[in-house]
């Protein structure tokens, strides 16, 4: 009996999030993209130290620092879009549940 009600709960959950399928996919893709870029930035920091400061190539240092700046700006933009989309999904799902309860 418990297993059956658990399946019903999952069906209800999926029917609730079905209208937001593409937005949820967008949020997950942005999450993965920003996480991947965040993993790459420490490697760029290492390159700045190894090939920039230690060698004395300050042009390279400036180029990589600008790249890091643009990557961080990109991450902030992704996080902003992700959070706006997540908040939109949350508010619309809450409204949907409220209307269904009335």
């Amino acid at each position: 009996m418990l297993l059956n009600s658990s399946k019903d709960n999952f069906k209800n959950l999926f029917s609730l999030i079905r209208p937001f399928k593409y937005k949820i996919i967008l949020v997950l893709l942005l999450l993965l993209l920003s996480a991947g870029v965040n993993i790459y930035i420490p490697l760029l920091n290492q390159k700045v130290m190894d090939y920039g400061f230690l060698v004395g190539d300050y042009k390279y240092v400036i180029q990589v620092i600008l790249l890091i700046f643009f990557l961080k700006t990109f991450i902030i933009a992704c996080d902003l879009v992700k959070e706006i989309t997540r908040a939109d999904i949350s508010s619309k799902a809450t409204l949907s549940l409220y209307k269904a309860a009335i």
Side-chain angles (χ1 to χ4, degrees):
M1 183 80 177
L2 183 62
L3 183 62
N4 192 17
S5 68
S6 156
K7 285 183 181 179
D8 291 338
N9 288 340
F10 278 117
K11 286 181 184 178
N12 288 338
L13 176 65
F14 287 128
S15 68
L16 176 66
I17 64 173
R18 186 173 291 126
F20 311 110
K21 177 173 58 174
Y22 294 113
K23 287 186 177 186
I24 291 171
I25 290 171
L26 174 68
V27 168
L28 291 175
L29 287 175
L30 289 173
L31 178 67
L32 290 173
L33 188 61
S34 66
V37 172
N38 270 321
I39 289 172
Y40 183 62
I41 287 177
L43 297 173
L44 288 175
N45 289 331
Q46 177 191 5
K47 289 181 187 244
V48 165
M49 294 304 293
D50 291 345
Y51 302 115
F53 287 121
L54 295 178
V55 176
D57 186 3
Y58 294 108
K59 182 180 177 185
Y60 180 78
V61 171
I62 291 171
Q63 289 173 345
V64 175
I65 287 174
L66 285 174
L67 176 63
I68 291 171
F69 172 76
F70 288 119
L71 287 175
K72 281 294 198 179
T73 304
F74 177 73
I75 290 170
I76 291 169
C78 283
D79 288 345
L80 182 65
V81 170
K82 181 180 62 172
E83 285 305 311
I84 289 171
T85 306
R86 186 203 54 79
D88 182 52
I89 292 169
S90 175
S91 65
K92 287 181 179 174
T94 303
L95 180 63
S96 174
L97 285 172
Y98 177 74
K99 285 182 178 179
I102 292 180

